[in-house]
Amino acid sequence: MTYMKFGTKAVHAGVEPDPTTGAIMTPIYQTSTYVQESPGKHKGYEYARTQNPTRDALQASLAALENGKYGLCYATGLAATDTIMKTLRPGDEVICTNDMYGGTYRLFTTVFQPFGIKFIFVPMAEAESVEQYVTDKTKMVWVETPTNPLMNVIDIEKIAAITKKHEVLLTVDNTFATPYLQNPLDLGADIVMHSVTKYLGGHSDTVMGAIITNNEKLYESYKFLQNAAGGTPGPQDCFLVLRGIKTLHLRMRQHCINGKAVAEFLEQHPLVGKVYYPGLESHKGYEIAKKQMRDFGGMVSFTLKDDKVTTAIKTLENFNLFALAESLGGVESLCGHPASMTHASIPPEERKKSGLSDSLIRLSVGIEDTEDLIADLKQAIESASKA
Ligand code: P1T
């Protein structure tokens, strides 16, 4: 079946009534193995690390949402990234954006770098400048856009023109945007990676990762690694994400409405310093975001004019509705302190170079009523400055 529109895909793609009972919801195939009639004679399923019907449905759904041919799921977002990196070899070079999730930075620098893969972290706001870092050893450009936590927007089409010219791969971590807002494969990327934990799951109840591609050879290597290295998700988690995806378009609409309202409120507040949100005209990536995204999402970062770390911490402690927690993309609003939480594994001097201040506050704006979120922000900021 071909689904034309995103909402219809979110509800239906990959999901067929269960062949044995007609159950409209894909069952949780909680089994480790499948009985064979005769050795090698089976129904397409042998062992649950290799294949699982609940996972199959989710993989097909994710591929459809990203306009890709192939989808694969992994135990976490980092397990998906680990799989992509395992296809590289000692001596290979990867050019990466210098602002990215701290765990991805840690995986690259402390796990893969010692195996002889070189990672070059560079700013990518001016996409053309990336070409100067390409050498005959470059195998991949790794883009996260919008970036975590500074919301830098990277021009995927322009980077793709460079990677195509030099015959290197382009991977885009599409976690912050989601396929509802941005489809990197359509813009020239070879590989899309997701922390499914976030908006795709959408309810803060599971961790998972995914890879989507149109490249059959890459798909075969990642699928091989899914079985050979075994970083697969369980069927219960696949079920939860399948359920989450059915409302992705509805949730994202409200995340975008609330994200914009929060960013605009912060921008006009006299106690607020910088606001990082790609939907603000003052944001340096606004024009690129308008070109490559359908809306601007629910992630907002900001600093206070009083730039002391203690004031930022007090503000975080003052929130009532925004819960202080790692992660993002759930229906409920969260707040965090990247320097000591999600990005603590990036050395302070590297954080400074990319512009990540120790007083930065990051918000994952949920789908609650906008007025309640603004009221909570207002009281948290204003009472921190009084204390
Ligand atoms: O947590 P995991 O599912 O392994 O995904 C890692 C990951 C990859 N890419 C991006 C852009 C991410 O934000 C993450 C995880 N991020 C958080 C836990 C966080 O709070 O930023």
Side-chain angles (χ1 to χ4, degrees):
M1 229 184 290
T2 317
Y3 305 101
M4 300 308 289
K5 298 272 183 164
F6 192 89
T8 312
K9 277 201 267 193
V11 174
H12 292 286
V15 180
E16 297 292 340
D18 182 52
T20 53
T21 63
I24 193 159
M25 288 298 129
T26 309
I28 304 166
Y29 279 91
Q30 194 76 51
T31 186
S32 61
T33 193
Y34 309 87
V35 177
Q36 309 194 6
E37 231 176 272
S38 171
K41 197 169 170 208
H42 51 74
K43 298 180 168 66
Y45 294 91
E46 299 154 272
Y47 185 60
R49 173 166 24 80
T50 327
Q51 314 104 340
N52 178 283
T54 321
R55 195 172 86 211
D56 285 351
L58 176 58
Q59 293 182 156
S61 165
L62 288 168
L65 293 181
E66 281 291 9
N67 300 331
K69 276 195 200 144
Y70 310 106
L72 290 162
C73 292
Y74 297 85
T76 66
L78 286 180
T81 301
D82 173 81
T83 300
I84 295 168
M85 287 303 145
K86 275 190 186 129
T87 60
L88 303 184
R89 292 292 171 261
D92 289 351
E93 292 182 5
V94 183
I95 304 168
C96 319
T97 174
N98 66 342
D99 181 44
M100 57 159 50
Y101 170 54
T104 309
Y105 178 91
R106 179 179 55 203
L107 178 65
F108 289 174
T109 54
T110 65
V111 178
F112 284 100
Q113 205 141 276
F115 283 113
I117 299 171
K118 191 171 165 196
F119 296 89
I120 300 116
F121 296 93
V122 302
M124 294 188 176
E126 307 298 330
E128 294 81 359
S129 70
V130 172
E131 189 163 18
Q132 67 186 295
Y133 303 100
V134 177
T135 72
D136 56 356
K137 296 200 174 98
T138 307
K139 286 289 171 338
M140 183 178 287
V141 174
W142 184 281
V143 164
E144 191 181 288
T145 183
T147 61
N148 181 358
L150 288 173
M151 310 302 298
N152 288 306
V153 182
I154 298 165
D155 192 321
I156 299 172
E157 264 180 330
K158 283 195 182 158
I159 302 275
I162 298 167
T163 55
K164 282 195 178 20
K165 178 173 158 196
H166 294 276
E167 296 182 352
V168 306
L169 295 171
L170 171 58
T171 303
V172 175
D173 180 337
N174 204 27
T175 300
F176 269 34
T178 83
Y180 177 74
L181 297 179
Q182 171 174 285
N183 296 117
L185 298 179
D186 294 346
L187 300 170
D190 302 285
I191 303 144
V192 170
M193 176 264 150
H194 275 285
S195 171
V196 173
T197 314
K198 309 298 172 348
Y199 291 101
L200 289 164
H203 296 76
S204 306
D205 52 11
T206 184
V207 285
M208 196 188 294
I211 301 173
I212 299 105
T213 183
N214 278 317
N215 180 318
E216 190 178 355
K217 242 178 94 189
L218 290 174
Y219 167 68
E220 289 303 339
S221 343
Y222 301 147
K223 188 175 154 69
F224 173 81
L225 282 165
Q226 196 187 42
N227 182 49
T232 48
Q236 165 102 15
D237 289 329
C238 294
F239 173 84
L240 287 171
V241 175
L242 274 169
R243 185 161 75 164
I245 283 175
K246 288 182 195 297
T247 56
L248 178 63
H249 52 305
L250 302 179
R251 289 185 283 108
M252 287 312 294
R253 277 175 210 156
Q254 194 62 33
H255 281 297
C256 292
I257 290 170
N258 285 352
K260 188 155 191 278
V262 160
E264 284 172 353
F265 165 77
L266 289 170
E267 196 172 44
Q268 56 74 46
H269 197 287
L271 293 173
V272 171
K274 290 195 185 115
V275 183
Y276 303 86
Y277 182 69
L280 291 176
E281 279 181 43
S282 57
H283 189 276
K284 66 179 187 303
Y286 175 71
E287 289 302 327
I288 307 168
K290 236 173 52 175
K291 182 180 73 154
Q292 73 185 14
M293 297 171 71
R294 296 179 192 96
D295 204 334
F296 305 103
M299 295 300 297
V300 183
S301 296
F302 71 101
T303 56
L304 296 166
K305 280 211 180 103
D306 167 2
D307 207 27
K308 288 195 287 295
V309 179
T310 48
T311 314
I313 304 275
K314 257 188 241 151
T315 308
L316 287 162
E317 288 169 352
N318 285 346
F319 280 113
N320 295 319
L321 204 47
F322 284 82
L324 177 60
E326 307 240 355
S327 204
L328 58 110
V331 289
E332 65 291 305
S333 292
L334 302 180
C335 60
H337 181 235
S340 68
M341 295 168 70
T342 49
H343 293 71
S345 51
I346 303 179
E349 62 281 8
E350 292 301 319
R351 291 204 302 264
K352 212 168 177 185
K353 262 198 249 165
S354 69
L356 201 174
S357 154
D358 282 356
S359 59
L360 188 82
I361 293 173
R362 191 190 75 178
L363 303 175
S364 170
V365 184
I367 64 168
E368 301 93 336
D369 286 301
T370 320
E371 295 76 11
D372 291 333
L373 296 176
I374 303 275
D376 193 32
L377 259 175
K378 186 167 156 43
Q379 68 76 23
I381 292 169
E382 292 173 9
S383 42
S385 83
K386 279 188 214 121

